[in-house]
């Protein structure tokens, strides 16, 4: 079990053949995954809705300590671009609330072309915060979101800015916004979604996580380099790093 406040997992719970021996051999993929890792990010919700009953089934299949993050739908972030999307947000939240107390973080990933607009951002996150007490994490992908005014707005709205790899600009490699949550999304570098992280880079990531945890943040690290199955191995290594600190 990892140190409280410092958690590692992957985007989705697929178990690639190269790591199947590291997990229990019986049960569903999620049940097997949850025996070794304490968190997971549900990213399929970005592409399509899931029934509330599906989320309830996932909740009931994992241990009590296990926690989920869920990615907001692209209809909210990429199609309506955070504007006039209250109906979509309401429908999404009614679904994901099937996870109950095991729902810990909502992830809002923005399209690369969406520049920071303080009025739109403040309105959207205020609406979202009014509707849910779940922690919020935002992954912006336009350089304008890494200026001081954008960071201050996110902090004021209680939204953590995700630290992403590869980083769009130097500031994107570090957590920002609300300091109560440090959320890392490791997509694989240099080849996004495919590249493995070597031992030196994993140690760097682990040290970043420990620094954030020492500052009082709850720390999540999600590996999204799943295309060649490296995410699980990287998450297991970081899990051991967190445990022995």
């Amino acid at each position: 079990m990892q140190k409280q406040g410092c958690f590692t997992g992957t985007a989705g719970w697929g178990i690639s053949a190269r790591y199947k021996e590291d997990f229990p051999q019986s049960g569903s993929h999620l049940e097997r995954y949850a025996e070794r890792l304490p968190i997971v990010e549900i990213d399929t919700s970005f592409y399509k809705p899931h029934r509330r009953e599906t989320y309830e089934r996932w909740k009931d299949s994992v241990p009590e300590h296990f926690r989920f993050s869920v990615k907001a739908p692209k209809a909210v972030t990429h199609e309506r671009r955070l504007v006039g999307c209250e109906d979509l947000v309401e429908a999404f939240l009614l679904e994901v609330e099937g996870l109950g107390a095991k729902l810990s973080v909502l992830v809002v990933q923005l399209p690369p072309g969406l520049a920071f607009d303080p009025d739109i951002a403040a309105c959207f996150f205020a609406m979202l915060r009014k509707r849910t007490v779940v922690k919020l994490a935002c992954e912006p992908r336009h350089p304008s979101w890494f200026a001081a005014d954008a960071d201050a707005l996110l902090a004021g709205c209680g939204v953590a800015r995700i630290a992403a790899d590869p980083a769009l600009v130097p500031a994107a490699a570090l957590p920002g916004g609300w300091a109560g949550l440090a959320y890392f999304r490791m997509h694989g570098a240099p080849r996004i979604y495919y590249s493995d992280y070597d031992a030196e880079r994993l140690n760097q990531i682990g040290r970043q996580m420990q620094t954030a945890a020492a500052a009082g943040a709850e720390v999540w690290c999600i590996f999204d380099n799943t295309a060649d199955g490296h995410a699980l191995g990287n998450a297991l290594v970081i899990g051991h790093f967190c445990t022995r600190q």
Side-chain angles (χ1 to χ4, degrees):
M1 182 66 184
Q2 290 175 308
K3 193 174 186 179
Q4 185 177 5
C6 186
F7 310 107
T8 311
T10 64
W13 49 79
I15 299 175
S16 59
R18 75 179 71 190
Y19 295 113
K20 70 176 184 178
E21 298 303 322
D22 294 309
F23 291 82
Q25 300 305 299
S26 62
S28 69
H29 279 274
L30 177 55
E31 288 169 335
R32 293 162 61 202
Y33 173 100
E35 288 296 318
R36 292 296 314 275
L37 293 166
I39 60 171
V40 75
E41 181 183 283
I42 298 174
D43 59 352
T44 53
S45 54
F46 177 76
Y47 302 100
K48 63 179 183 179
H50 299 297
R51 297 170 63 236
R52 184 184 179 98
E53 291 78 10
T54 300
Y55 285 107
E56 290 172 347
R57 185 175 74 250
W58 290 337
K59 174 197 67 177
D60 294 339
S61 66
V62 297
E64 195 60 34
H65 70 269
F66 193 87
R67 293 294 180 267
F68 295 87
S69 65
V70 186
K71 194 172 175 181
K74 67 177 181 179
V76 170
T77 56
H78 289 53
E79 295 171 13
R80 297 200 188 173
R81 300 168 73 85
L82 309 184
V83 177
C85 52
E86 291 85 353
D87 58 331
L88 298 178
V89 168
E90 180 66 19
F92 170 64
L93 292 176
L94 287 173
E95 294 162 0
V96 301
E97 285 167 356
L99 293 171
K102 294 176 183 176
L103 172 60
S104 191
V105 183
L106 295 177
V107 173
V108 179
Q109 184 190 62
L110 303 180
L114 185 61
F116 174 67
D117 182 305
D119 294 332
I120 291 174
C123 183
F124 174 78
F125 286 115
M127 177 269 294
L128 189 54
R129 174 50 66 217
K130 185 177 180 180
R131 178 58 180 77
T132 182
V133 298
V134 174
K135 290 182 284 292
L136 304 177
C138 179
E139 183 180 4
R141 292 184 291 166
H142 188 280
S144 59
W145 284 85
F146 299 94
D149 57 339
D151 195 67
L153 186 145
L154 290 173
C157 292
V159 180
R161 195 191 71 230
I162 289 171
D165 185 73
L168 174 69
V169 296
L174 302 172
W178 181 59
L181 173 68
Y183 198 109
F184 296 81
R185 298 189 86 227
M186 316 307 294
H187 300 295
R191 189 182 180 197
I192 192 168
Y193 306 129
Y194 286 86
S195 292
D196 193 10
Y197 289 103
D198 62 23
E200 180 180 359
R201 182 67 178 109
L202 290 172
N203 277 330
Q204 291 174 349
I205 296 166
R207 289 194 295 271
Q208 277 188 283
M209 294 173 65
Q210 287 299 319
T211 297
E218 178 178 325
V219 183
W220 283 50
C221 183
I222 294 294
F223 286 92
D224 191 28
N225 52 334
T226 55
D228 274 347
H230 295 302
L232 272 178
N234 293 164
L236 290 170
V237 169
I238 290 291
H240 289 311
F241 183 97
C242 288
T243 301
R244 69 174 183 261
Q245 294 305 299

